[in-house]
Amino acid sequence: METTTSSSKKFDTVTNDFLPLQGTDYVEFYVGNAKQAAHFYKTAFGFQSLAYAGPETGMKDKVSYVIRQHKLTFVLTTALRKNNPIADHVSKHGDGVKVLALKVDDATRAWEETTKRGGKSYLEPTILSDTDGEVVLSGIHTYGETVHLFVERKNYKGLFMPGFKKWESNYNPTDTGLLYVDHCVGNVDWNQMNPWVKFYEEVMGFKNILTFDDNDISTEYSALMSKVMSNGNGYVKFPINEPAEGKKKSQVEEYLDFYNGEGVQHVAIATNDIVKTVTELQKRGIEFLNIPASYYANVLDRVGEIDEDLAPLQELGILIDRDEEGYLLQIFSKPLEDRPTLFFEIIQRKGAKSFGKGNFKALFEALEREQDARGNL
Ligand code: FE2
């Protein structure tokens, strides 16, 4: 299947990638109530309990629950007292993503390579050990108060990492087919997209693989611009959005307003069977953006033949798009907290490596209807 171009690209990656990444290790959320958040993600999304850290394990000021579904690991962390960075983060941003943790073979080298290229250190290489071995962690700051941790766990055979114990629970809802993080999108301030693109290029060795300008992403009312950054092997993709001028307030502005700054807008999660996954999520109370019937009237003229029946896709509100390599199915949840900030995308790729450009207009109009209902358009 692979063409000469992509094999030579791979060779290039192997020889020149100063920050080889094996994928997303976990996503950590700072939340107001981690116990309830963990219950919500287990119940609604089908995660399983994995590990726990808190006062019982020697962590005095915070509690973390680790939940997992296939290769998707979330950490939900809350502060036990005021006047600490977690409590301050939640007070300022509401519940949101603090850490996008990336799996590496050598966390010390990852920190050295990125900080010498201008990355601002968040955590110097630190060894955590227990009877199961050791994990090396290091980290750098990215947009807003978000950070990237580099996680080296090749010498660790424990469940998650030192400091955590197994979270035994007799409440184990069935999974919903969520597999791994496909991409994570950041919303940044006016005129900040290009500086952050430069950061991912220079500090982390990523490449800009796609660009959308305000002509691609605009409706009657608002607009945004986006550039997709990818690491060498394509396992880690970070699109970066900034608002653009429109008649009314852009959805990115609404986010920046309520999050009080830059941060993660959405986490896109892969599934192998989007109809099954979304049917299950809706049954468990997850709400998705409503797509008008008119979208489905001519969608197949645009995307051509697909394997799925259109009826269930329309019933669930799943969007379809095609690029040169295949097609994709995607759907967007409503915000997962009261502030109109973080949401999830569920995506099934059938060859397509793009991000659903053909759906942007329908999607943003749906977002604006919600924004308008909140009085923020
Ligand atoms: Fe996305």
Side-chain angles (χ1 to χ4, degrees), residues 182-185 239 265-268 330 332 343-345 347 349 355-356 360 363:
D182 184 276
H183 60 275
C184 280
V185 181
Q265 179 208 40
H266 73 267
V267 178
Q330 62 186 167
F332 297 84
F343 60 88
F344 285 172
E345 171 183 348
I347 182 166
R349 293 186 180 278
F355 294 83
F360 286 168
L363 175 66

Side-chain angles (χ1 to χ4, degrees), residues 61-81:
D61 295 334
K62 62 175 184 174
V63 167
S64 291
Y65 296 84
V66 186
I67 55 177
R68 180 170 286 166
Q69 182 168 182
H70 299 282
K71 286 182 179 163
L72 185 61
T73 306
F74 285 174
V75 181
L76 301 154
T77 295
T78 199
L80 289 174
R81 296 168 191 284

Side-chain angles (χ1 to χ4, degrees), residues 63-132:
V63 167
S64 291
Y65 296 84
V66 186
I67 55 177
R68 180 170 286 166
Q69 182 168 182
H70 299 282
K71 286 182 179 163
L72 185 61
T73 306
F74 285 174
V75 181
L76 301 154
T77 295
T78 199
L80 289 174
R81 296 168 191 284
K82 61 178 184 176
N83 298 332
N84 70 57
I86 299 164
D88 294 346
H89 196 277
V90 172
S91 159
K92 183 172 175 190
H93 304 294
D95 288 6
V97 172
K98 174 64 181 180
V99 181
L100 294 171
L102 305 167
K103 194 172 291 177
V104 297
D105 192 53
D106 185 340
T108 307
R109 181 172 172 229
W111 183 86
E112 286 167 358
E113 296 286 350
T114 50
T115 53
K116 88 174 177 209
R117 287 173 169 81
K120 187 178 153 209
S121 177
Y122 171 71
L123 177 70
E124 287 187 18
T126 304
I127 300 172
L128 307 174
S129 55
D130 65 12
T131 51
D132 286 320

Side-chain angles (χ1 to χ4, degrees), residues 24 45 56 76 134 166 170 187 226 261 319 337 340 349:
T24 302
F45 288 96
E56 300 85 344
L76 301 154
E134 63 179 43
K166 186 175 186 334
N170 50 22
N187 276 344
S226 188
L319 303 165
E337 53 290 300
R349 293 186 180 278

